[in-house]
Amino acid sequence: MTETLLFATNNLHKLREVQEIVGDLFKVLSLKDISMTDDIPETSDTLEGNARQKAGYIFEKTGMDCFADDTGLFIDALDGRPGVYSARYAGEGCSFEDNINKVLLEMKHSENRKASFRCVVCLILGGQEHFFEGRIDGTILKEKRGAEGFGYDPVFIPNGQSQTFSEMPPYLKNGLSHRGRAIWKLMKFLSIEIG
Ligand code: IMP
Protein backbone atom coordinates (compact mmCIF):
# COMPACT_ATOMS: atom_id res chain seq x y z
CA MET A 1 0.00 0.00 0.00
CA THR A 2 1.30 3.49 -0.81
CA GLU A 3 1.80 5.63 2.28
CA THR A 4 0.50 9.20 2.21
CA LEU A 5 2.45 12.25 3.34
CA LEU A 6 0.82 15.61 4.03
CA PHE A 7 2.82 18.54 2.66
CA ALA A 8 1.80 21.80 4.35
CA THR A 9 1.73 23.80 1.14
CA ASN A 10 -0.56 25.11 -1.52
CA ASN A 11 2.33 25.86 -3.86
CA LEU A 12 1.60 23.56 -6.80
CA HIS A 13 5.15 23.90 -8.16
CA LYS A 14 6.62 22.60 -4.91
CA LEU A 15 3.98 19.88 -4.66
CA ARG A 16 4.74 18.62 -8.17
CA GLU A 17 8.47 18.63 -7.52
CA VAL A 18 8.16 16.75 -4.24
CA GLN A 19 5.82 14.16 -5.76
CA GLU A 20 8.34 13.62 -8.57
CA ILE A 21 11.18 13.28 -6.07
CA VAL A 22 9.40 10.70 -3.88
CA GLY A 23 8.03 8.81 -6.89
CA ASP A 24 5.82 5.82 -6.07
CA LEU A 25 6.99 5.54 -2.49
CA PHE A 26 4.52 8.09 -1.12
CA LYS A 27 1.40 9.86 -2.32
CA VAL A 28 1.95 13.51 -1.38
CA LEU A 29 -1.16 15.40 -0.28
CA SER A 30 -1.40 19.18 -0.28
CA LEU A 31 -3.52 21.40 1.96
CA LYS A 32 -6.07 21.59 -0.84
CA ASP A 33 -6.48 17.81 -0.64
CA ILE A 34 -7.59 18.12 2.99
CA SER A 35 -9.71 21.24 2.27
CA MET A 36 -7.51 23.47 4.40
CA THR A 37 -7.72 27.04 3.13
CA ASP A 38 -6.12 28.97 6.03
CA ASP A 39 -3.44 31.51 5.28
CA ILE A 40 -0.58 29.89 7.21
CA PRO A 41 1.58 32.31 9.20
CA GLU A 42 5.21 32.62 8.08
CA THR A 43 6.72 35.33 10.25
CA SER A 44 10.10 33.97 11.33
CA ASP A 45 13.39 35.44 10.13
CA THR A 46 14.92 32.00 9.57
CA LEU A 47 14.10 29.19 7.12
CA GLU A 48 14.01 26.75 10.01
CA GLY A 49 11.61 28.96 11.96
CA ASN A 50 9.24 29.32 9.02
CA ALA A 51 9.29 25.61 8.16
CA ARG A 52 8.54 24.82 11.82
CA GLN A 53 5.77 27.43 11.93
CA LYS A 54 4.04 26.08 8.79
CA ALA A 55 4.23 22.41 9.81
CA GLY A 56 3.33 23.23 13.43
CA TYR A 57 0.28 25.23 12.40
CA ILE A 58 -1.10 22.37 10.32
CA PHE A 59 -0.30 19.75 12.97
CA GLU A 60 -2.12 21.80 15.63
CA LYS A 61 -5.15 22.30 13.40
CA THR A 62 -5.44 18.76 12.06
CA GLY A 63 -3.46 16.49 14.38
CA MET A 64 -1.96 14.93 11.23
CA ASP A 65 1.69 14.10 10.71
CA CYS A 66 2.94 16.53 8.07
CA PHE A 67 5.95 18.37 6.72
CA ALA A 68 6.61 21.88 5.39
CA ASP A 69 9.50 23.45 3.56
CA ASP A 70 10.90 26.95 3.54
CA THR A 71 13.33 28.04 0.88
CA GLY A 72 15.45 31.07 0.16
CA LEU A 73 17.88 32.31 -2.46
CA PHE A 74 21.00 33.73 -0.79
CA ILE A 75 23.06 36.02 -3.05
CA ASP A 76 26.61 36.91 -2.01
CA ALA A 77 26.68 40.33 -3.66
CA LEU A 78 23.42 41.28 -1.93
CA ASP A 79 24.67 40.27 1.53
CA GLY A 80 22.49 37.16 1.47
CA ARG A 81 19.30 38.81 0.22
CA PRO A 82 16.57 37.97 -0.72
CA GLY A 83 17.19 35.02 1.66
CA VAL A 84 14.30 34.22 3.94
CA TYR A 85 12.29 37.01 2.26
CA SER A 86 12.55 35.47 -1.23
CA ALA A 87 8.79 35.12 -1.78
CA ARG A 88 7.84 38.78 -1.42
CA TYR A 89 11.17 40.43 -2.21
CA ALA A 90 9.63 42.98 -4.59
CA GLY A 91 6.70 43.66 -2.24
CA GLU A 92 3.36 42.24 -1.18
CA GLY A 93 1.51 40.56 -4.08
CA CYS A 94 4.56 40.61 -6.37
CA SER A 95 5.15 38.06 -9.13
CA PHE A 96 8.16 35.78 -9.72
CA GLU A 97 9.03 38.16 -12.57
CA ASP A 98 8.98 41.21 -10.24
CA ASN A 99 11.32 39.46 -7.81
CA ILE A 100 13.78 38.47 -10.54
CA ASN A 101 13.75 41.99 -11.99
CA LYS A 102 14.51 43.47 -8.58
CA VAL A 103 17.42 41.08 -8.02
CA LEU A 104 18.86 41.71 -11.50
CA LEU A 105 18.62 45.46 -11.01
CA GLU A 106 20.34 45.31 -7.64
CA MET A 107 23.10 43.14 -9.15
CA LYS A 108 23.51 45.28 -12.24
CA HIS A 109 27.06 46.32 -11.35
CA SER A 110 28.08 43.13 -9.52
CA GLU A 111 30.77 40.91 -10.98
CA ASN A 112 30.33 38.47 -8.09
CA ARG A 113 27.32 36.36 -9.19
CA LYS A 114 27.62 33.62 -6.54
CA ALA A 115 24.42 32.46 -4.85
CA SER A 116 22.87 29.45 -3.17
CA PHE A 117 19.40 28.05 -2.75
CA ARG A 118 18.77 26.67 0.72
CA CYS A 119 15.79 24.63 1.76
CA VAL A 120 14.75 23.51 5.23
CA VAL A 121 12.10 20.84 5.68
CA CYS A 122 10.36 20.39 9.02
CA LEU A 123 8.63 17.05 9.55
CA ILE A 124 6.24 16.55 12.45
CA LEU A 125 5.89 12.87 13.17
CA GLY A 126 3.96 11.78 16.24
CA GLY A 127 4.29 15.30 17.63
CA GLN A 128 8.11 15.33 17.30
CA GLU A 129 9.91 17.81 15.03
CA HIS A 130 12.66 16.70 12.66
CA PHE A 131 14.63 18.99 10.32
CA PHE A 132 16.31 18.26 6.98
CA GLU A 133 18.34 20.71 4.91
CA GLY A 134 19.39 20.93 1.29
CA ARG A 135 21.63 23.43 -0.45
CA ILE A 136 22.84 24.00 -3.99
CA ASP A 137 25.47 26.57 -4.95
CA GLY A 138 25.49 28.35 -8.27
CA THR A 139 25.52 31.66 -10.09
CA ILE A 140 22.99 34.30 -11.06
CA LEU A 141 22.77 35.11 -14.77
CA LYS A 142 22.27 38.65 -16.10
CA GLU A 143 19.09 37.65 -17.91
CA LYS A 144 16.39 34.99 -17.73
CA ARG A 145 16.66 31.70 -19.61
CA GLY A 146 14.18 28.84 -19.85
CA ALA A 147 10.52 28.12 -19.29
CA GLU A 148 10.36 25.31 -16.69
CA GLY A 149 10.29 25.59 -12.93
CA PHE A 150 9.28 28.62 -10.90
CA GLY A 151 10.54 31.46 -8.73
CA TYR A 152 14.15 32.41 -9.43
CA ASP A 153 14.82 29.30 -11.57
CA PRO A 154 15.29 31.24 -14.86
CA VAL A 155 18.34 33.11 -13.54
CA PHE A 156 20.05 30.37 -11.47
CA ILE A 157 22.70 28.01 -12.89
CA PRO A 158 23.93 25.33 -10.48
CA ASN A 159 27.71 24.96 -10.32
CA GLY A 160 29.02 22.50 -12.92
CA GLN A 161 25.96 22.93 -15.18
CA SER A 162 25.39 25.02 -18.31
CA GLN A 163 21.60 25.26 -18.05
CA THR A 164 19.47 27.25 -15.64
CA PHE A 165 17.01 25.33 -13.47
CA SER A 166 14.37 26.64 -15.88
CA GLU A 167 16.07 25.11 -18.91
CA MET A 168 16.46 21.67 -17.34
CA PRO A 169 13.92 18.91 -17.50
CA PRO A 170 12.31 18.57 -14.04
CA TYR A 171 14.10 15.31 -13.21
CA LEU A 172 17.45 17.06 -13.64
CA LYS A 173 16.51 20.02 -11.44
CA ASN A 174 15.11 17.67 -8.79
CA GLY A 175 18.26 15.57 -8.91
CA LEU A 176 20.42 18.57 -8.05
CA SER A 177 18.24 21.00 -6.20
CA HIS A 178 18.10 22.22 -2.60
CA ARG A 179 14.59 20.76 -2.30
CA GLY A 180 15.62 17.43 -3.83
CA ARG A 181 18.49 17.14 -1.36
CA ALA A 182 16.33 18.00 1.66
CA ILE A 183 13.56 15.62 0.56
CA TRP A 184 16.00 12.72 0.02
CA LYS A 185 17.12 13.16 3.62
CA LEU A 186 13.48 13.16 4.70
CA MET A 187 12.85 9.97 2.70
CA LYS A 188 15.90 8.28 4.18
CA PHE A 189 14.70 9.18 7.68
CA LEU A 190 11.18 7.93 6.98
CA SER A 191 12.43 4.69 5.49
CA ILE A 192 14.24 4.02 8.78
CA GLU A 193 11.38 5.26 11.01
CA ILE A 194 8.46 3.57 9.31
CA GLY A 195 10.25 0.88 7.32
P1 IMP B 1 8.85 29.68 0.31
O1 IMP B 1 8.85 30.77 1.34
O2 IMP B 1 9.60 28.47 0.74
O3 IMP B 1 7.49 29.35 -0.17
O4 IMP B 1 9.61 30.17 -0.97
C1 IMP B 1 10.09 31.48 -1.11
C2 IMP B 1 10.31 31.86 -2.53
O5 IMP B 1 11.55 31.32 -2.94
C3 IMP B 1 9.29 31.38 -3.55
O6 IMP B 1 8.22 32.26 -3.66
C4 IMP B 1 10.12 31.40 -4.82
O7 IMP B 1 10.17 32.69 -5.35
C5 IMP B 1 11.49 31.03 -4.30
N1 IMP B 1 11.73 29.60 -4.47
C6 IMP B 1 11.44 28.59 -3.61
N2 IMP B 1 11.83 27.42 -4.13
C7 IMP B 1 12.38 27.70 -5.33
C8 IMP B 1 12.95 26.90 -6.35
O8 IMP B 1 13.03 25.65 -6.27
N3 IMP B 1 13.40 27.55 -7.43
C9 IMP B 1 13.33 28.90 -7.57
N4 IMP B 1 12.79 29.69 -6.66
C10 IMP B 1 12.32 29.10 -5.55
Side-chain angles (χ1 to χ4, degrees):
M1 192 186 79
T2 309
E3 298 273 355
T4 58
L5 266 182
L6 176 59
F7 186 8
T9 190
N10 273 321
N11 180 325
L12 293 180
H13 300 282
K14 288 186 181 180
L15 182 69
R16 195 178 313 129
E17 284 188 3
V18 171
Q19 186 64 72
E20 277 171 10
I21 294 162
V22 305
D24 295 336
L25 293 175
F26 290 92
K27 163 86 181 122
V28 185
L29 301 179
S30 71
L31 296 179
K32 193 166 166 236
D33 293 316
I34 60 160
S35 303
M36 166 69 73
T37 54
D38 294 19
D39 203 10
I40 306 175
E42 195 179 329
T43 54
S44 173
D45 58 4
T46 63
L47 298 179
E48 187 183 68
N50 280 330
R52 169 190 276 136
Q53 204 176 12
K54 291 187 244 187
Y57 182 91
I58 295 304
F59 181 72
E60 271 179 30
K61 284 258 166 167
T62 67
M64 293 169 75
D65 292 336
C66 63
F67 71 97
D69 93 330
D70 201 59
T71 298
L73 175 65
F74 296 78
I75 300 177
D76 283 14
L78 303 183
D79 297 324
R81 297 193 314 277
V84 74
Y85 305 108
S86 293
R88 285 173 279 277
Y89 193 48
E92 211 53 49
C94 63
S95 64
F96 293 145
E97 181 106 9
D98 297 333
N99 284 335
I100 290 178
N101 289 341
K102 179 166 179 185
V103 159
L104 293 185
L105 189 64
E106 289 184 335
M107 294 182 74
K108 204 169 166 187
H109 303 295
S110 305
E111 285 310 313
N112 178 1
R113 313 295 296 184
K114 285 187 199 159
S116 60
F117 272 115
R118 297 177 207 171
C119 174
V120 175
V121 167
C122 175
L123 167 73
I124 301 190
L125 192 65
Q128 298 289 313
E129 291 174 348
H130 306 272
F131 291 90
F132 309 91
E133 291 187 35
R135 169 181 174 150
I136 176 82
D137 293 312
T139 53
I140 302 293
L141 284 183
K142 295 194 171 169
E143 55 199 26
K144 289 175 276 182
R145 283 188 356 210
E148 298 277 348
F150 69 104
Y152 299 89
D153 281 350
V155 290
F156 184 86
I157 299 196
N159 286 348
Q161 302 294 312
S162 56
Q163 293 177 305
T164 65
F165 270 158
S166 272
E167 292 175 303
M168 294 176 183
Y171 78 87
L172 200 51
K173 175 186 173 186
N174 294 334
L176 294 166
S177 80
H178 46 294
R179 186 166 299 102
R181 290 169 194 227
I183 295 292
W184 296 334
K185 291 180 187 172
L186 167 72
M187 301 303 291
K188 191 170 168 200
F189 173 82
L190 286 174
S191 69
I192 294 165
E193 282 296 303
I194 62 180

mmCIF file of all heavy atoms in Angstrom, residues 115-141:
data_model
loop_
_atom_site.group_PDB
_atom_site.id
_atom_site.type_symbol
_atom_site.label_atom_id
_atom_site.label_comp_id
_atom_site.label_asym_id
_atom_site.label_seq_id
_atom_site.Cartn_x
_atom_site.Cartn_y
_atom_site.Cartn_z
ATOM 1 N N ALA A 115 25.657 32.536 -5.640
ATOM 2 C CA ALA A 115 24.421 32.459 -4.852
ATOM 3 C C ALA A 115 24.169 31.012 -4.454
ATOM 4 O O ALA A 115 24.776 30.089 -5.007
ATOM 5 C CB ALA A 115 23.248 32.951 -5.699
ATOM 6 N N SER A 116 23.284 30.825 -3.495
ATOM 7 C CA SER A 116 22.873 29.451 -3.175
ATOM 8 C C SER A 116 21.389 29.426 -2.844
ATOM 9 O O SER A 116 20.855 30.396 -2.298
ATOM 10 C CB SER A 116 23.671 28.896 -1.993
ATOM 11 O OG SER A 116 23.467 29.696 -0.862
ATOM 12 N N PHE A 117 20.750 28.330 -3.228
ATOM 13 C CA PHE A 117 19.401 28.052 -2.752
ATOM 14 C C PHE A 117 19.545 27.179 -1.524
ATOM 15 O O PHE A 117 20.315 26.205 -1.518
ATOM 16 C CB PHE A 117 18.604 27.245 -3.784
ATOM 17 C CG PHE A 117 17.880 28.061 -4.803
ATOM 18 C CD1 PHE A 117 18.232 27.985 -6.138
ATOM 19 C CD2 PHE A 117 16.818 28.879 -4.434
ATOM 20 C CE1 PHE A 117 17.551 28.723 -7.096
ATOM 21 C CE2 PHE A 117 16.143 29.614 -5.386
ATOM 22 C CZ PHE A 117 16.503 29.541 -6.718
ATOM 23 N N ARG A 118 18.787 27.519 -0.483
ATOM 24 C CA ARG A 118 18.767 26.675 0.722
ATOM 25 C C ARG A 118 17.330 26.354 1.076
ATOM 26 O O ARG A 118 16.460 27.215 0.996
ATOM 27 C CB ARG A 118 19.443 27.387 1.898
ATOM 28 C CG ARG A 118 20.900 27.647 1.606
ATOM 29 C CD ARG A 118 21.591 28.417 2.703
ATOM 30 N NE ARG A 118 22.705 29.157 2.105
ATOM 31 C CZ ARG A 118 23.420 30.065 2.723
ATOM 32 N NH1 ARG A 118 23.176 30.351 3.980
ATOM 33 N NH2 ARG A 118 24.402 30.688 2.101
ATOM 34 N N CYS A 119 17.135 25.106 1.447
ATOM 35 C CA CYS A 119 15.788 24.631 1.760
ATOM 36 C C CYS A 119 15.827 23.900 3.095
ATOM 37 O O CYS A 119 16.706 23.074 3.321
ATOM 38 C CB CYS A 119 15.337 23.664 0.652
ATOM 39 S SG CYS A 119 13.765 22.858 0.961
ATOM 40 N N VAL A 120 14.887 24.236 3.972
ATOM 41 C CA VAL A 120 14.755 23.507 5.231
ATOM 42 C C VAL A 120 13.374 22.864 5.263
ATOM 43 O O VAL A 120 12.362 23.535 5.016
ATOM 44 C CB VAL A 120 14.922 24.429 6.460
ATOM 45 C CG1 VAL A 120 14.653 23.663 7.751
ATOM 46 C CG2 VAL A 120 16.327 25.027 6.484
ATOM 47 N N VAL A 121 13.361 21.570 5.532
ATOM 48 C CA VAL A 121 12.099 20.836 5.677
ATOM 49 C C VAL A 121 11.912 20.521 7.156
ATOM 50 O O VAL A 121 12.848 20.062 7.815
ATOM 51 C CB VAL A 121 12.144 19.521 4.864
ATOM 52 C CG1 VAL A 121 10.989 18.597 5.251
ATOM 53 C CG2 VAL A 121 12.108 19.818 3.367
ATOM 54 N N CYS A 122 10.705 20.799 7.663
ATOM 55 C CA CYS A 122 10.363 20.391 9.024
ATOM 56 C C CYS A 122 9.292 19.314 8.941
ATOM 57 O O CYS A 122 8.231 19.541 8.346
ATOM 58 C CB CYS A 122 9.846 21.579 9.834
ATOM 59 S SG CYS A 122 9.265 21.115 11.488
ATOM 60 N N LEU A 123 9.587 18.162 9.497
ATOM 61 C CA LEU A 123 8.626 17.053 9.554
ATOM 62 C C LEU A 123 8.098 16.958 10.981
ATOM 63 O O LEU A 123 8.884 17.002 11.933
ATOM 64 C CB LEU A 123 9.332 15.743 9.193
ATOM 65 C CG LEU A 123 8.557 14.449 9.497
ATOM 66 C CD1 LEU A 123 7.395 14.261 8.513
ATOM 67 C CD2 LEU A 123 9.492 13.235 9.442
ATOM 68 N N ILE A 124 6.794 16.847 11.132
ATOM 69 C CA ILE A 124 6.237 16.552 12.452
ATOM 70 C C ILE A 124 5.652 15.145 12.388
ATOM 71 O O ILE A 124 4.737 14.872 11.606
ATOM 72 C CB ILE A 124 5.175 17.579 12.877
ATOM 73 C CG1 ILE A 124 5.816 18.970 12.886
ATOM 74 C CG2 ILE A 124 4.630 17.224 14.265
ATOM 75 C CD1 ILE A 124 4.984 20.055 13.495
ATOM 76 N N LEU A 125 6.274 14.277 13.165
ATOM 77 C CA LEU A 125 5.887 12.867 13.167
ATOM 78 C C LEU A 125 5.591 12.475 14.615
ATOM 79 O O LEU A 125 6.486 12.544 15.463
ATOM 80 C CB LEU A 125 7.039 12.034 12.605
ATOM 81 C CG LEU A 125 6.759 10.577 12.260
ATOM 82 C CD1 LEU A 125 5.766 10.446 11.129
ATOM 83 C CD2 LEU A 125 8.075 9.876 11.890
ATOM 84 N N GLY A 126 4.342 12.126 14.873
ATOM 85 C CA GLY A 126 3.961 11.778 16.243
ATOM 86 C C GLY A 126 4.242 12.903 17.223
ATOM 87 O O GLY A 126 4.617 12.662 18.369
ATOM 88 N N GLY A 127 4.102 14.152 16.754
ATOM 89 C CA GLY A 127 4.291 15.302 17.633
ATOM 90 C C GLY A 127 5.744 15.749 17.774
ATOM 91 O O GLY A 127 6.020 16.782 18.367
ATOM 92 N N GLN A 128 6.683 14.984 17.212
ATOM 93 C CA GLN A 128 8.110 15.333 17.299
ATOM 94 C C GLN A 128 8.557 16.047 16.027
ATOM 95 O O GLN A 128 8.177 15.638 14.930
ATOM 96 C CB GLN A 128 8.968 14.073 17.438
ATOM 97 C CG GLN A 128 8.707 13.262 18.686
ATOM 98 C CD GLN A 128 9.222 13.954 19.939
ATOM 99 O OE1 GLN A 128 10.357 14.427 19.957
ATOM 100 N NE2 GLN A 128 8.381 14.054 20.954
ATOM 101 N N GLU A 129 9.386 17.078 16.200
ATOM 102 C CA GLU A 129 9.908 17.813 15.032
ATOM 103 C C GLU A 129 11.244 17.228 14.568
ATOM 104 O O GLU A 129 12.092 16.888 15.394
ATOM 105 C CB GLU A 129 10.179 19.269 15.411
ATOM 106 C CG GLU A 129 8.941 20.067 15.686
ATOM 107 C CD GLU A 129 9.294 21.470 16.193
ATOM 108 O OE1 GLU A 129 10.475 21.726 16.530
ATOM 109 O OE2 GLU A 129 8.375 22.290 16.268
ATOM 110 N N HIS A 130 11.392 17.147 13.262
ATOM 111 C CA HIS A 130 12.660 16.696 12.663
ATOM 112 C C HIS A 130 12.975 17.639 11.503
ATOM 113 O O HIS A 130 12.069 17.983 10.729
ATOM 114 C CB HIS A 130 12.546 15.267 12.134
ATOM 115 C CG HIS A 130 12.054 14.294 13.161
ATOM 116 N ND1 HIS A 130 12.902 13.632 14.023
ATOM 117 C CD2 HIS A 130 10.796 13.901 13.485
ATOM 118 C CE1 HIS A 130 12.191 12.859 14.827
ATOM 119 N NE2 HIS A 130 10.909 13.004 14.526
ATOM 120 N N PHE A 131 14.247 18.030 11.367
ATOM 121 C CA PHE A 131 14.628 18.992 10.320
ATOM 122 C C PHE A 131 15.604 18.368 9.319
ATOM 123 O O PHE A 131 16.476 17.575 9.707
ATOM 124 C CB PHE A 131 15.273 20.230 10.958
ATOM 125 C CG PHE A 131 14.287 21.051 11.742
ATOM 126 C CD1 PHE A 131 14.076 20.801 13.087
ATOM 127 C CD2 PHE A 131 13.542 22.047 11.133
ATOM 128 C CE1 PHE A 131 13.148 21.541 13.821
ATOM 129 C CE2 PHE A 131 12.617 22.793 11.851
ATOM 130 C CZ PHE A 131 12.418 22.535 13.200
ATOM 131 N N PHE A 132 15.457 18.762 8.068
ATOM 132 C CA PHE A 132 16.312 18.262 6.980
ATOM 133 C C PHE A 132 16.654 19.454 6.091
ATOM 134 O O PHE A 132 15.776 20.243 5.765
ATOM 135 C CB PHE A 132 15.577 17.192 6.149
ATOM 136 C CG PHE A 132 14.990 16.116 7.014
ATOM 137 C CD1 PHE A 132 13.689 16.221 7.491
ATOM 138 C CD2 PHE A 132 15.758 15.029 7.405
ATOM 139 C CE1 PHE A 132 13.153 15.255 8.326
ATOM 140 C CE2 PHE A 132 15.230 14.056 8.247
ATOM 141 C CZ PHE A 132 13.924 14.168 8.703
ATOM 142 N N GLU A 133 17.923 19.542 5.696
ATOM 143 C CA GLU A 133 18.338 20.706 4.909
ATOM 144 C C GLU A 133 18.934 20.297 3.579
ATOM 145 O O GLU A 133 19.574 19.242 3.483
ATOM 146 C CB GLU A 133 19.418 21.480 5.667
ATOM 147 C CG GLU A 133 18.881 22.149 6.899
ATOM 148 C CD GLU A 133 19.937 23.055 7.536
ATOM 149 O OE1 GLU A 133 20.729 23.653 6.774
ATOM 150 O OE2 GLU A 133 19.959 23.122 8.768
ATOM 151 N N GLY A 134 18.748 21.142 2.590
ATOM 152 C CA GLY A 134 19.386 20.928 1.294
ATOM 153 C C GLY A 134 19.895 22.250 0.768
ATOM 154 O O GLY A 134 19.265 23.293 0.976
ATOM 155 N N ARG A 135 21.034 22.192 0.076
ATOM 156 C CA ARG A 135 21.632 23.425 -0.445
ATOM 157 C C ARG A 135 22.255 23.146 -1.803
ATOM 158 O O ARG A 135 22.818 22.065 -2.007
ATOM 159 C CB ARG A 135 22.704 23.900 0.536
ATOM 160 C CG ARG A 135 23.572 25.012 -0.010
ATOM 161 C CD ARG A 135 24.627 25.417 0.988
ATOM 162 N NE ARG A 135 25.523 26.392 0.350
ATOM 163 C CZ ARG A 135 26.151 27.349 0.986
ATOM 164 N NH1 ARG A 135 26.017 27.473 2.283
ATOM 165 N NH2 ARG A 135 26.932 28.187 0.328
ATOM 166 N N ILE A 136 22.130 24.106 -2.718
ATOM 167 C CA ILE A 136 22.840 24.003 -3.991
ATOM 168 C C ILE A 136 23.474 25.368 -4.293
ATOM 169 O O ILE A 136 22.806 26.399 -4.190
ATOM 170 C CB ILE A 136 21.900 23.544 -5.143
ATOM 171 C CG1 ILE A 136 22.611 23.537 -6.498
ATOM 172 C CG2 ILE A 136 20.643 24.387 -5.238
ATOM 173 C CD1 ILE A 136 23.429 22.328 -6.740
ATOM 174 N N ASP A 137 24.752 25.329 -4.630
ATOM 175 C CA ASP A 137 25.468 26.571 -4.953
ATOM 176 C C ASP A 137 25.458 26.786 -6.457
ATOM 177 O O ASP A 137 25.447 25.826 -7.236
ATOM 178 C CB ASP A 137 26.914 26.480 -4.460
ATOM 179 C CG ASP A 137 26.977 26.448 -2.948
ATOM 180 O OD1 ASP A 137 26.321 27.285 -2.311
ATOM 181 O OD2 ASP A 137 27.660 25.570 -2.397
ATOM 182 N N GLY A 138 25.504 28.054 -6.849
ATOM 183 C CA GLY A 138 25.490 28.348 -8.274
ATOM 184 C C GLY A 138 25.748 29.815 -8.541
ATOM 185 O O GLY A 138 26.298 30.515 -7.682
ATOM 186 N N THR A 139 25.324 30.252 -9.734
ATOM 187 C CA THR A 139 25.522 31.657 -10.089
ATOM 188 C C THR A 139 24.233 32.248 -10.660
ATOM 189 O O THR A 139 23.380 31.524 -11.182
ATOM 190 C CB THR A 139 26.628 31.836 -11.157
ATOM 191 O OG1 THR A 139 26.306 30.985 -12.264
ATOM 192 C CG2 THR A 139 27.989 31.459 -10.639
ATOM 193 N N ILE A 140 24.151 33.572 -10.545
ATOM 194 C CA ILE A 140 22.985 34.302 -11.064
ATOM 195 C C ILE A 140 23.348 34.909 -12.420
ATOM 196 O O ILE A 140 24.329 35.654 -12.535
ATOM 197 C CB ILE A 140 22.575 35.441 -10.091
ATOM 198 C CG1 ILE A 140 22.247 34.884 -8.706
ATOM 199 C CG2 ILE A 140 21.397 36.243 -10.660
ATOM 200 C CD1 ILE A 140 21.019 34.014 -8.619
ATOM 201 N N LEU A 141 22.548 34.569 -13.427
ATOM 202 C CA LEU A 141 22.767 35.115 -14.768
ATOM 203 C C LEU A 141 22.359 36.588 -14.821
ATOM 204 O O LEU A 141 21.716 37.088 -13.890
ATOM 205 C CB LEU A 141 21.891 34.365 -15.768
ATOM 206 C CG LEU A 141 22.305 32.968 -16.196
ATOM 207 C CD1 LEU A 141 21.321 32.465 -17.241
ATOM 208 C CD2 LEU A 141 23.712 33.005 -16.770
#
